[in-house]
């Protein structure tokens, strides 16, 4: 929830900062992209660290890192300093997300694992709702800086986690693996896991590329469609509500229909919704297709976080999930930049969202062709 609140707030803050600092679309794109550069490095580095010092420790470190950096970004007066702090926010977020799903997947029985991880990820929707509410009620009245200061509060949650959160029982049973980085990378690219790794890297890249390209720009897209900032924030809040049923239906289906079916089906729904949203005219169509985009995309995210840790054994589970997420974050660097560049070059939203639709279809093909079903399999 705190992760999503931070990412969600950023999408609204970009729209507000663009007005205050007179930013070009290209500069707006860099704000989202530098966040993803940090996420790529954080997912990779903290994933390796979690296989060495434990899931719980890395979970707390990353929580404090992104919360404090986000709060400090409220005090900046230049774009350069804002971008530096957003890099550290991204590093914390990128490290925390795959480590959290790894911790939960290792702590739940096989028959419930997929459902519980998707329910964990459903709190991403709750965080986006909190972000949209803060944006709607706080930013117009008190400014974007106050909104960012609120994102520093989750750092205090680490004090509770330190006392009360148990580490992964699987990790504690196996002890602290001492494999080198090279050994771990050889394992995830060994004959046994190379197909799974290829599939995950393709899916993560296409999903993150499209998600950050579309959702970080969503409030700005509504402003560029001619709506004022307050109404744009309200409309994005309405679209965001559809994320919750997206997660809950995915959680219900994932132990019944399986990971591959849910992931591929919801990604297809995302691709179609992106195409329709990019070509929508009029408020009703924008809201309807925007809601479908939220529903399918976030349901797919939940399935992806459940599916990823199930591909690897305990010794490299966080490393495998983290490196796949890091590759995804590279896509997250290019997504927002591409939107800014295409808008500056005069391309319309129909073309832009059509590109994201095509990227998601590539991810669907990777799941169908290369993926293996992991429903209710015991983790190695």
């Amino acid at each position: 929830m705190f992760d999503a609140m931070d990412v969600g707030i950023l999408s609204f803050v970009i729209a507000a900062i663009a007005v205050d600092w007179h930013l070009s679309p290209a500069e707006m794109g860099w704000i989202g992209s530098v966040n993803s550069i940090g996420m790529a490095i954080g997912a990779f580095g903290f994933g390796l660290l979690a296989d060495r010092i434990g899931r719980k420790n890395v979970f707390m470190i990353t929580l404090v890192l992104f919360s404090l950096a986000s709060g400090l970004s409220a005090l900046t007066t230049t774009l350069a300093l804002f971008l530096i702090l957003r890099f550290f926010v991204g590093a914390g977020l990128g490290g925390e997300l795959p480590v959290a799903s790894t911790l939960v997947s290792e702590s739940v029985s096989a028959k419930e694992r997929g459902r519980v991880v998707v329910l964990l990820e459903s709190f991403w929707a709750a965080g986006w709702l909190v972000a949209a509410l803060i944006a709607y009620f706080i930013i117009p009245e008190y400014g974007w800086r106050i909104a960012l200061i609120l994102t520093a509060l989750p750092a205090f949650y680490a004090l509770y986690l330190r006392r009360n959160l148990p580490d992964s029982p699987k990790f504690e049973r196996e002890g602290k693996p001492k494999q080198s980085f090279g050994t771990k990378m050889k394992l995830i690219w060994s004959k046994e896991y190379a197909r799974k790794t290829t599939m995950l890297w393709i899916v993560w890249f296409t999903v993150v590329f499209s998600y950050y390209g579309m959702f970080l720009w969503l409030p700005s897209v509504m402003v560029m469609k001619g709506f004022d900032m307050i109404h744009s924030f309200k409309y994005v809040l309405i679209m965001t509500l559809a994320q919750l049923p997206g997660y809950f239906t995915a959680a219900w289906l994932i132990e019944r229909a399986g990971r591959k079916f849910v992931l591929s089906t919801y990604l297809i729904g995302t691709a179609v919704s992106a195409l329709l949203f990019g070509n929508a005219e009029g408020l009703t169509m924008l809201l309807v297709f925007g809601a479908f985009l939220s529903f399918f995309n976030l349901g797919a995210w939940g399935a992806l976080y459940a599916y990823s840790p199930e591909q690897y054994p305990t010794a490299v589970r966080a490393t495998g999930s983290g490196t796949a997420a890091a590759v995804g974050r590279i896509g997250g660097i290019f997504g927002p930049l591409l939107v800014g560049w295409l808008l500056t070059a005069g391309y319309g939203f129909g073309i832009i969202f059509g590109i994201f639709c095509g990227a998601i279809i590539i991810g669907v093909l990777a799941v169908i062709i290369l993926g293996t079903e992991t429903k209710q399999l015991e983790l190695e």
Side-chain angles (χ1 to χ4, degrees):
M1 183 179 76
F2 293 144
D3 297 340
M5 181 181 77
D6 202 279
V7 173
I9 281 288
L10 181 62
S11 71
F12 296 102
V13 164
I14 289 172
I17 286 181
V19 175
D20 279 7
W21 291 355
H22 310 290
L23 301 182
S24 68
E27 289 172 321
M28 293 165 69
W30 267 110
I31 295 175
S33 292
V34 80
N35 212 59
S36 291
I37 293 171
M39 291 181 91
I41 293 171
F44 184 73
F46 285 118
L48 288 169
L49 192 61
D51 279 335
R52 184 165 291 274
I53 68 169
R55 286 54 163 138
K56 173 183 174 178
N57 290 329
V58 171
F59 186 42
M60 291 190 299
I61 291 167
T62 52
L63 174 65
V64 172
L65 176 61
F66 79 73
S67 299
L68 293 184
S70 186
L72 287 172
S73 68
L75 308 177
T76 56
T77 55
T78 65
L79 180 61
L81 187 55
F82 187 82
L83 290 176
I84 290 168
L85 285 167
R86 291 314 305 186
F87 169 84
F88 287 106
V89 173
L93 284 169
E96 194 275 330
L97 288 163
V99 169
S101 57
T102 298
L103 171 59
V104 173
S105 67
E106 290 178 344
S107 306
V108 181
S109 66
K111 65 179 182 180
E112 296 182 296
R113 188 174 60 241
R115 180 174 58 84
V116 172
V117 173
V118 176
L119 289 173
L120 162 73
E121 297 305 322
S122 73
F123 278 80
W124 184 272
W128 254 91
L129 285 172
V130 172
L133 289 169
I134 291 172
Y136 184 64
F137 289 107
I138 300 294
I139 292 179
E141 189 73 25
Y142 303 103
W144 57 268
R145 296 181 190 277
I146 299 299
L148 284 177
I149 287 171
L150 293 176
T151 62
L153 298 178
F156 292 104
Y157 189 50
L159 298 173
Y160 173 83
L161 294 176
R162 187 172 183 275
R163 291 175 59 88
N164 296 283
L165 180 72
D167 208 333
S168 156
K170 271 188 171 292
F171 177 83
E172 291 188 326
R173 277 199 305 271
E174 297 212 1
K176 298 179 180 180
K178 299 299 181 184
Q179 297 103 321
S180 67
F181 163 70
T183 303
K184 290 177 181 178
M185 293 305 292
K186 282 180 183 175
L187 181 56
I188 68 172
W189 281 108
S190 65
K191 186 176 181 181
E192 186 176 359
Y193 299 107
R195 182 186 176 109
K196 296 177 179 181
T197 299
T198 302
M199 180 272 298
L200 280 184
W201 284 24
I202 293 171
V203 177
W204 270 95
F205 184 92
T206 56
V207 168
V208 181
F209 168 76
S210 56
Y211 175 82
Y212 282 91
M214 294 186 294
F215 280 83
L216 277 183
W217 276 91
L218 210 52
S220 301
V221 166
M222 297 302 290
V223 171
M224 291 175 188
K225 289 273 190 180
F227 302 101
D228 63 56
M229 190 177 295
I230 294 176
H231 281 91
S232 296
F233 288 1
K234 180 173 74 174
Y235 299 146
V236 174
L237 172 60
I238 293 168
M239 294 177 205
T240 302
L241 290 169
Q243 293 183 13
L244 282 167
Y247 275 119
F248 294 149
T249 52
W252 185 82
L253 281 169
I254 201 161
E255 296 297 359
R256 291 167 174 80
R259 279 63 161 152
K260 281 186 67 173
F261 174 83
V262 172
L263 184 53
S264 56
T265 302
Y266 278 65
L267 285 177
I268 291 169
T270 302
V272 173
S273 301
L275 197 60
L276 294 172
F277 180 81
N279 290 282
E281 295 295 335
L283 178 60
T284 301
M285 289 298 97
L286 284 167
L287 287 176
V288 169
F289 296 135
F292 275 117
L293 188 63
S294 290
F295 176 93
F296 284 113
N297 191 264
L298 276 298
W301 268 106
L304 183 57
Y305 270 111
Y307 195 39
S308 298
E310 295 176 341
Q311 309 300 315
Y312 301 107
T314 300
V316 292
R317 184 166 295 118
T319 299
S321 298
T323 50
V327 170
R329 302 307 169 188
I330 295 170
I333 295 165
F334 293 113
L337 281 178
L338 179 70
V339 177
W341 180 80
L342 290 174
L343 287 173
T344 302
Y347 291 93
F349 290 114
I351 297 289
I352 293 168
F353 279 76
I355 291 171
F356 292 132
C357 170
I360 294 164
I361 293 299
I362 293 171
V364 172
L365 293 173
V367 175
I368 293 172
I369 296 169
L370 299 174
T372 54
E373 185 53 61
T374 55
K375 182 178 71 171
Q376 297 184 2
L377 288 180
E378 292 291 343
L379 297 180
E380 296 177 57

